[in-house]
Amino acid sequence: DSDDIVEINPSVVKLINVTSISLSHNQRINLVDLFDKLAELPKLEFLNLSDCQIESLPANISKLSHLKKLILGGNKLTELPPEIKQLPKLKELIFSQYPDDFRKLTEDQKLRMLNLLPRTKILLTEYAGGTHGHYRLGARTVRVTKNNLWPNK
């Protein structure tokens, strides 16, 4: 789409009080460049990258150390990079927008996500309802409530 943001203006780093950025529906955005620039924003806690056709996340996502919530729904991700575990403040990851997005993942892929983010709530879908209870995922038991996946403590 011609309206897509491909690069972030370097002057964005001057906006040191920004806490929230939404770049959804930007299918041509350069994520390496984006994460390098957003790393300069010390108060950035929320990032929406939904529906950007992202197939993989670059390793420099680890630079977003203040991030608390990351929305990645509606993308083509099947794995998360190991560097995502270097986001100590990440409390919520919205990974899928449609039920089939998460159902397509293998049990091993789901388990790797949990192992990378042991204290992070992973929202499986944006639809209300869903299956509730405790379920086995690999050797771990997880708690599912309203399509939210929580590691058991």
Side-chain angles (χ1 to χ4, degrees):
D1 191 327
S2 62
D3 293 335
D4 280 1
I5 296 171
V6 178
E7 274 188 38
I8 299 295
N9 187 312
S11 65
V12 75
V13 300
K14 295 177 183 176
L15 304 172
I16 60 170
N17 290 316
V18 168
T19 61
S20 176
I21 293 179
S22 179
L23 293 166
S24 64
H25 300 279
N26 281 286
Q27 299 179 7
R28 299 183 306 141
I29 196 155
N30 178 332
L31 292 178
V32 173
D33 177 62
L34 173 69
F35 294 162
D36 282 343
K37 287 180 177 133
L38 295 184
E40 301 294 321
L41 302 177
K43 296 183 180 179
L44 182 66
E45 296 179 348
F46 171 88
L47 179 59
N48 181 354
L49 293 173
S50 62
D51 297 301
C52 290
Q53 300 300 307
I54 299 168
E55 294 182 8
S56 64
L57 293 171
N60 72 335
I61 192 168
S62 63
K63 293 181 176 184
L64 305 179
S65 60
H66 297 287
L67 211 57
K68 291 183 180 178
K69 184 174 183 176
L70 177 59
I71 300 178
L72 295 170
N75 286 297
K76 298 178 179 181
L77 291 165
T78 58
E79 296 280 343
L80 296 174
E83 293 81 7
I84 202 164
K85 65 184 170 185
Q86 295 173 27
L87 301 179
K89 296 181 179 181
L90 188 65
K91 298 298 176 206
E92 190 170 359
L93 171 65
I94 298 178
F95 187 79
S96 303
Q97 280 187 299
Y98 310 103
D100 288 341
D101 287 351
F102 200 78
R103 289 184 193 129
K104 289 178 191 172
L105 300 179
T106 67
E107 188 172 287
D108 285 344
Q109 289 170 321
K110 294 174 190 175
L111 187 57
R112 279 194 293 274
M113 276 190 262
L114 275 178
N115 286 335
L116 286 173
L117 300 166
R119 290 177 203 81
T120 301
K121 173 183 172 182
I122 301 174
L123 184 63
L124 306 183
T125 72
E126 300 228 1
Y127 291 109
T131 308
H132 303 335
H134 290 78
Y135 297 90
R136 297 290 292 172
L137 183 58
R140 295 180 69 177
T141 302
V142 297
R143 181 167 43 102
V144 178
T145 58
K146 290 195 176 185
N147 289 330
N148 295 308
L149 181 63
W150 289 84
N152 247 7
K153 294 181 179 168

